């Protein structure tokens, strides 16, 4: 199923990447454990591949790819805003996290601030020409590292 989804994912060439993904990908697995005499336990696993931020000037994109790039950036910005709300002590006390700002953050709401364990892997490049992108990715991942969830078994 995962391979079929990858095959349907939109990709297009840009000046920075020959196989640039044009979308975020979320693969969700639901697991249910039933033991006789006990209430069923359920879990959800999200595997998420975020499209990289689109730098219009660097990618020299136009038309439909430009519109796709804008949508990618809007999703990443909304995710960044949620991460900021979850990691900023003052905003966390206030209680509002803007999950409803995008479909991406709404889907990932329970992974970001819920009863869950979350791991983020950041893909970076060792090339000098990509140092700005690498630094931005590392800053993004470092902010996400500050999210603290309390994980407990649901009964």
């Amino acid at each position: 199923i995962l391979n079929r989804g990858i095959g349907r994912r939109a990709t297009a060439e840009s000046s920075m990447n020959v196989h640039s993904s044009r979308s975020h990908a979320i693969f969700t697995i639901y697991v249910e454990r039933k033991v006789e005499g006990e209430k069923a336990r359920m879990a959800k696993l999200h595997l998420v591949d975020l499209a990289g931020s689109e730098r219009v000037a660097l990618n020299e994109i136009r038309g439909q790819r430009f519109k796709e790039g804008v949508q990618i950036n809007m999703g990443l910005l909304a995710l960044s805003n949620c991460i900021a709300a979850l990691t900023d002590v003052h905003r966390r006390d206030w209680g509002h996290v803007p999950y409803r700002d995008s479909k991406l953050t709404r889907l990932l709401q329970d992974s970001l601030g819920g009863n869950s364990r979350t791991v983020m892997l950041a893909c970076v490049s060792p090339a000098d020409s990509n140092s700005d992108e690498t630094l931005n990715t590392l800053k993004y991942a470092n902010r996400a590292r500050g999210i603290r969830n309390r994980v407990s078994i649901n009964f």
Side-chain angles (χ1 to χ4, degrees):
I1 292 172
L2 184 59
N3 284 334
R4 247 189 299 164
I6 291 170
R8 292 181 179 155
R9 191 168 184 193
T11 60
E13 185 174 342
S14 71
S15 61
M16 291 184 71
N17 186 349
V18 175
H19 300 289
S20 178
S21 60
R22 311 305 305 160
S23 61
H24 305 303
I26 301 175
F27 184 72
T28 304
I29 301 170
Y30 293 92
V31 180
E32 184 176 3
R33 178 181 164 205
K34 291 183 182 180
V35 176
E36 193 172 321
E38 292 182 17
K39 190 175 179 181
R41 293 185 185 176
M42 298 180 70
K44 182 171 23 175
L45 172 66
H46 289 300
L47 301 175
V48 181
D49 181 14
L50 298 174
S53 63
E54 294 291 318
R55 304 285 188 243
V56 176
L58 295 175
N59 284 337
E60 301 169 0
I61 55 177
R62 303 284 180 264
Q64 182 61 30
R65 281 196 261 167
F66 175 79
K67 291 177 186 176
E68 291 168 349
V70 169
Q71 291 299 313
I72 289 167
N73 288 344
M74 287 174 57
L76 292 172
L77 177 61
L79 181 58
S80 182
N81 290 339
C82 287
I83 290 169
L86 290 165
T87 57
D88 184 350
V89 176
H90 303 294
R91 288 178 71 180
R92 188 173 38 211
D93 292 341
W94 178 48
H96 177 70
V97 180
Y99 293 120
R100 293 183 181 178
D101 287 356
S102 80
K103 290 178 185 177
L104 177 66
T105 54
R106 188 73 175 137
L107 284 169
L108 299 179
Q109 179 175 349
D110 52 350
S111 296
L112 292 168
N115 180 18
S116 63
R117 294 188 190 270
T118 303
V119 176
M120 180 177 188
L121 302 176
C123 297
V124 297
S125 170
D128 288 340
S129 60
N130 294 329
S131 62
D132 289 340
E133 292 293 322
T134 296
L135 183 59
N136 287 337
T137 299
L138 291 173
K139 286 179 183 178
Y140 198 93
N142 190 49
R143 284 194 313 269
R145 189 175 69 163
I147 297 173
R148 298 288 176 245
N149 291 339
R150 291 186 186 92
V151 181
S152 64
I153 297 173
N154 294 328
F155 291 104

